[in-house]
């Protein structure tokens, strides 16, 4: 059972899959990526041709050895032919190794190019893209589809080239030696090819089913093995049911594995059997012709050996187009992501934020969240069609100004538009009308780097990466030294805690920082903000969902974060923003009231209602 038989199995497994229409534009774009490896591809194709020639040369020389023995040729000739066979074997190994190295170099280079292109492109997508996209589907483009695209060069291309060369040389030599025996050998091909394609289709179906089940198990593990998922399972007493559900899928994959293994064995055995039967025909008819003097004995041996190199290439080429189309589908799925234009782009000739104190201004701002077709793909959301809703205005002509060094607070009911306004300052979204200005310059006229360096945002979830404390801090400023890290932690009231950890700054905080408490996570994000040294700070309910002790610690850290900085604060607990220079009540995307804490209380409007309601709730005894 040689390697060519496995190649035939692979081709048959793809032969019955749905054909994809040929797309010239996709092919041109594929070539744009491949052109970067043009020289390596040329060398690879040449090596494949040489390998194919060497593959056919060995049977011819073997037949010549037999003829030399039968005819009683000199010993030196037999030794010379045997040496030539040995040299060809060595050359074949060297060429095969070189071709494999070149193939790997091209394939890995292509994977590198595609992954860099997709990752860089996705990083430039707006937040709206990530709020809609299924993370697993996006990661699949970086892994499965990129590897599928690579297959076009490291597998399909090499197989097509080598199969064509081997097939043409083999048929040419066989027809020259005996066209009668060659035609007889080809008669058995349909006997194998038709059931082989059917078996290949069945195996491909089993592979797809196993892939779907494995994907489902991966999703289940990813969700259940996270801290929130594991907590939910335990709270609702579902471990046994989850285990049973996972076990059923795993058991189905195991059964598919057995059926696939048996199907592969049957396929390969059938290919070997048909090759053996064809060889028997060759030996039978060839032997008869040799005995009758119409054929040399060595020619019979050559034909029999060449026959073993005939069936696998024929089977592979029968499915070559489908293999190529399958690879092109992977390329199209990659290009589909690359073609999704970022909704927010940096303006050519954009300027940096001017030096000095910074004012933040919202001037008649109007905003509506983008529709799905502007920022997403149905395949990335894993839906049949995209949600057509969107474009409904949620911020209506909001205007206010935060002077340098001042604090303005936004309060109001949930869903009123406060967080939306906060996301417009660092340009996570773009306004539909009006303008957001930093130091008098529209943020759309500023460079991304200067915006990120000027405006710092702390959200209520306090997201951290599954990395060390040091790496999470350096994410804000990679060039910060050890002293600056500890200074930021000290100002965030976190230095004693980090110093007490076994690995100090090199302690891994866990996925999303779950090894730390809520208050500790939030203070670490504040330390990260302090390290970045933004001139404008936006706090989006940074103390929400914290207990009184944690809130006090975070508030102390925030005092350092806000000192001397322009600040926009969204607060759920109104007691935390009483000292703000101005307070705006945001309801239904509009500024309903504005003034200081005392002025708004005296006015007896919505702010006073919110304040007194919250104060009453906080003083009510707990109900058990």
């Amino acid at each position: 059972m040689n390697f060519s038989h496995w190649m035939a199995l692979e081709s048959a497994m793809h032969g019955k899959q749905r054909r994809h229409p040929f797309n010239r534009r996709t092919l041109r774009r594929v070539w744009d990526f491949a052109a970067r490896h043009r020289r390596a591809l040329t060398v690879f194709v040449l090596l494949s041709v040489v390998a194919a020639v060497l593959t056919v040369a060995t049977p011819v020389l073997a037949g010549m050895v037999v003829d030399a023995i039968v005819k009683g040729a000199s010993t030196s000739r037999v030794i010379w032919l045997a040496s030539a066979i040995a040299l060809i074997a060595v050359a074949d190994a060297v060429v095969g190794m070189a071709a494999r190295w070149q193939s790997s170099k091209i394939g890995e280079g292509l994977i590198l190019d595609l992954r860099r292109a997709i990752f860089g492109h996705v990083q430039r997508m707006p937040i709206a893209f990530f709020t809609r996209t299924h993370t697993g589907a996006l990661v699949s483009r970086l892994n499965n589809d990129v590897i599928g695209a690579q297959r076009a060069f490291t597998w399909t291309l090499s197989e097509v080239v080598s199969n064509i060369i081997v097939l043409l040389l083999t048929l040419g030599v066989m027809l020259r030696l005996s066209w009668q025996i060659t035609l007889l050998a080809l008669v058995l091909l349909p006997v194998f090819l038709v059931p082989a394609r059917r078996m290949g289709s069945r195996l491909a179906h089993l592979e797809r089913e196993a892939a779907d089940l494995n994907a489902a198990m991966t999703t289940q593990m990813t969700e259940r093995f996270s801290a929130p998922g594991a907590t939910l399972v335990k709270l609702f007493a579902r471990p046994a049911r989850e285990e049973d559900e996972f076990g059923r899928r795993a058991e189905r994959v195991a059964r598919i594995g057995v059926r696939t293994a048996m199907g592969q064995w049957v396929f390969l055995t059938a290919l070997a059997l048909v090759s053996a039967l064809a060889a028997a025909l060759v030996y039978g008819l060839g032997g008869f012709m040799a005995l009758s003097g119409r054929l040399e004995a060595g020619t019979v041996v050559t034909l029999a050996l060449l026959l073993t190199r005939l069936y696998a290439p024929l089977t592979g080429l029968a499915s070559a187009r489908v293999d190529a189309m399958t690879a092109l589908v992977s390329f199209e799925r990659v290009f589909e992501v690359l073609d999704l234009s970022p909704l927010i782009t940096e303006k050519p000739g954009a300027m940096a934020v001017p030096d000095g104190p910074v004012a933040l201004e919202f001037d008649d701002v109007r905003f509506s969240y983008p529709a799905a077709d502007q920022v997403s793909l149905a395949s990335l959301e894993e839906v049949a069609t995209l949600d057509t809703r969107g474009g409904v205005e949620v911020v209506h002509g909001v205007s206010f100004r935060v002077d340098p060094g001042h604090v303005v607070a936004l309060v109001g009911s949930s869903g009123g538009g406060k967080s939306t306004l906060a996301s417009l300052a660092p340009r996570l979204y773009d306004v539909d009308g009006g303008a957001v200005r930093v130091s008098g310059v529209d943020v759309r006229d500023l460079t991304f780097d200067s915006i990120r360096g000027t405006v710092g945002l702390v959200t209520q979830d306090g997201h951290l990466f599954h990395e060390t404390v040091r790496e999470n801090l350096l994410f804000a400023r990679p060039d910060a030294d050890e002293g600056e890290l500890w200074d930021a932690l000290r100002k965030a009231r976190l230095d004693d805690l980090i110093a007490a950890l076994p690995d100090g700054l090199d302690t891994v905080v866990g996925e999303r920082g779950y090894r730390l408490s809520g208050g500790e996570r939030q203070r670490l994000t504040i330390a990260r903000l302090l390290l970045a040294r933004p001139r404008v700070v936006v706090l989006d309910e940074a103390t929400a969902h914290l207990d009184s002790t944690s809130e006090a610690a975070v508030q102390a850290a925030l005092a350092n974060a806000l000192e001397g900085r322009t600040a926009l604060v969204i607060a759920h607990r109104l007691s935390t923003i009483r000292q703000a220079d101005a307070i705006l009540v945001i309801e239904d995307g509009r500024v309903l009231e504005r003034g200081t804490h005392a002025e708004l209380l005296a006015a007896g409007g919505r702010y006073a209602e919110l304040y007194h309601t919250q104060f009453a709730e906080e003083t009510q005894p707990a109900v058990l």
Side-chain angles (χ1 to χ4, degrees):
M1 199 72 66
N2 58 34
F3 183 70
S4 63
H5 291 167
W6 288 101
M7 296 303 98
L9 171 61
E10 176 67 22
S11 294
M13 287 174 64
H14 290 277
K16 286 285 187 177
Q17 293 184 28
R18 180 175 63 87
R19 292 175 179 266
H20 193 273
F22 187 80
N23 190 321
R24 294 184 183 275
R25 180 174 177 271
T26 299
L27 197 58
R28 284 195 297 270
R29 296 185 65 180
V30 169
W31 176 246
D32 289 339
F33 273 93
R36 306 173 191 178
H37 310 279
R38 186 186 295 109
R39 182 176 299 177
L41 277 168
T42 302
V43 173
F44 174 62
V45 171
L46 290 175
L47 289 171
S48 297
V49 172
V50 173
V53 172
L54 294 175
T55 298
V56 176
T58 300
V60 174
L61 289 173
M64 294 173 67
V65 170
V66 173
D67 283 340
I69 295 172
V70 171
K71 293 178 179 179
S74 63
T75 303
S76 60
R77 177 171 174 76
V78 174
I79 294 175
W80 183 87
L81 289 171
S83 300
I85 292 174
L87 288 173
I88 287 176
V90 173
D92 189 33
V94 173
V95 171
M97 183 181 299
R100 178 60 180 170
W101 180 82
Q102 202 71 14
S103 171
S104 299
K105 182 180 176 182
I106 295 168
E108 294 304 321
L110 186 68
I111 286 178
L112 177 63
D113 292 343
L114 289 174
R115 281 181 173 163
R116 276 180 171 172
I118 294 179
F119 189 86
H121 186 75
V122 169
Q123 291 291 294
R124 292 188 291 274
M125 297 303 292
I127 294 299
F129 170 81
F130 298 99
T131 62
R132 305 194 64 92
T133 300
H134 190 283
T135 304
L138 187 58
V139 171
S140 177
R141 301 296 170 100
L142 273 166
N143 291 327
N144 301 337
D145 288 317
V146 166
I147 293 174
Q150 175 230 17
R151 172 192 171 92
F153 292 95
T154 58
W155 188 286
T156 304
L157 177 64
S158 64
E159 286 305 304
V160 168
V161 171
S162 61
N163 283 340
I164 289 176
I165 300 299
V166 169
L167 184 61
L168 291 177
L169 287 176
T170 301
L171 281 175
V173 173
M174 290 182 69
L175 288 170
R176 187 181 67 81
L177 294 175
S178 173
W179 63 267
Q180 299 96 329
I181 293 177
T182 301
L183 293 179
L184 180 64
L186 291 176
V187 166
L188 287 177
L189 181 63
V191 177
F192 161 74
L193 193 57
V194 173
R197 297 291 289 275
R198 188 170 299 173
M199 176 64 73
S201 176
R202 184 178 302 174
L203 290 175
H205 174 75
L206 289 174
E207 274 200 348
R208 286 192 294 272
E209 185 178 354
D212 290 340
L213 288 167
N214 279 317
M217 287 192 294
T218 300
T219 299
Q220 184 179 6
M221 287 187 290
T222 301
E223 292 181 342
R224 273 58 171 185
F225 289 174
S226 66
T231 302
L232 189 63
V233 170
K234 293 180 182 299
L235 287 175
F236 287 92
R238 291 285 301 272
R241 184 170 176 179
E242 290 291 329
E243 184 178 348
D244 288 343
E245 184 177 347
F246 184 86
R248 284 195 298 272
R249 288 170 174 160
E251 185 180 0
R252 177 60 181 157
V253 171
R255 288 200 298 267
I256 289 174
V258 174
R259 292 177 60 187
T260 300
M262 290 305 300
Q264 291 173 346
W265 184 87
V266 170
F267 180 94
L268 296 173
T269 301
L271 177 55
L273 178 60
V274 172
S275 297
L277 292 175
L281 287 175
V282 169
Y283 282 123
L285 180 58
F288 172 78
M289 295 177 69
L291 291 173
S292 62
R294 288 181 290 171
L295 209 61
E296 298 290 342
T299 302
V300 177
V301 173
T302 298
L303 287 168
L305 292 175
L306 287 174
L307 192 65
T308 62
R309 291 159 170 80
L310 187 65
Y311 278 82
L314 281 172
T315 305
L317 289 174
S319 302
R321 183 179 184 276
V322 177
D323 289 339
M325 292 303 103
T326 301
L328 283 179
V329 168
S330 294
F331 268 111
E332 286 185 355
R333 285 169 58 82
V334 169
F335 294 149
E336 187 181 32
V337 176
L338 294 177
D339 288 341
L340 190 60
S341 300
L343 197 62
I344 300 174
T345 58
E346 187 173 279
K347 180 179 179 180
M351 62 181 291
V353 177
D355 294 332
V358 177
L360 178 64
E361 181 183 3
F362 284 68
D363 182 10
D364 194 28
V365 168
R366 298 180 181 277
F367 174 77
S368 56
Y369 284 100
D373 59 357
Q374 294 179 275
V375 295
S376 186
L377 297 169
S379 57
L380 291 179
E381 294 188 24
E382 297 187 344
V383 296
T385 57
L386 288 171
D387 186 354
T388 58
R389 293 174 297 176
V392 178
E393 191 172 272
V394 294
V395 176
H396 317 285
V398 171
S399 297
F400 63 89
R401 176 183 172 87
V402 188
D403 289 319
H406 284 218
V407 177
V408 170
L410 305 181
V411 302
S413 305
S414 297
K418 303 184 299 298
S419 294
T420 300
L421 289 169
S423 66
L424 296 176
R427 208 188 170 195
L428 299 181
Y429 293 93
D430 269 347
V431 300
D432 295 318
V436 176
R437 298 188 180 92
V438 173
S439 287
V441 183
D442 193 318
V443 293
R444 290 169 291 189
D445 296 327
L446 296 171
T447 63
F448 286 148
D449 285 344
S450 69
I451 294 174
R452 305 296 179 257
T454 302
V455 182
L457 173 65
V458 176
T459 59
Q460 58 181 295
D461 59 358
H463 187 82
L464 299 171
F465 293 118
H466 182 68
E467 295 173 352
T468 64
V469 173
R470 183 192 307 276
E471 289 168 326
N472 273 285
L473 290 174
L474 290 177
F475 194 78
R477 208 168 102 240
D479 61 343
D481 59 32
E482 193 92 355
E484 290 173 316
L485 296 181
W486 283 110
D487 183 58
L489 289 171
R490 179 182 57 79
K491 290 179 179 177
R493 305 292 195 273
L494 205 58
D495 53 330
D496 290 340
L497 172 70
I498 300 303
L501 294 174
D503 297 319
L505 287 171
D506 296 315
T507 301
V508 177
V509 301
E511 185 178 4
R512 299 183 66 183
Y514 273 113
R515 294 181 188 175
L516 303 175
S517 70
E520 291 164 352
R521 284 199 306 273
Q522 199 67 311
R523 277 181 281 162
L524 189 54
T525 63
I526 293 170
R528 184 169 60 194
L529 178 80
L530 289 167
L531 198 64
R533 299 174 182 170
R535 287 177 283 170
V536 177
V537 175
V538 180
L539 304 178
D540 187 3
E541 301 204 40
T543 61
H545 314 308
L546 297 180
D547 58 76
S548 300
T549 303
S550 296
E551 182 184 0
V554 172
Q555 284 292 348
L558 287 175
N560 278 315
L562 297 180
E563 187 176 356
R565 292 182 169 91
T566 304
L568 179 64
V569 179
I570 297 173
H572 172 70
R573 292 177 179 166
L574 304 185
S575 58
T576 62
I577 47 90
R578 284 181 292 189
Q579 302 304 316
D581 296 290
I583 299 173
L584 277 64
V585 179
I586 307 295
E587 294 287 351
D588 297 324
R590 294 179 173 85
V591 178
L592 188 63
E593 298 174 358
R594 67 178 74 204
T596 64
H597 171 72
E599 291 170 346
L600 292 174
L601 278 183
R606 177 59 176 158
Y607 179 82
E609 179 185 347
L610 290 171
Y611 185 82
H612 291 307
T613 300
Q614 190 175 107
F615 181 77
E617 290 175 351
E618 291 175 352
T619 57
Q620 284 288 334
V623 179
L624 300 178

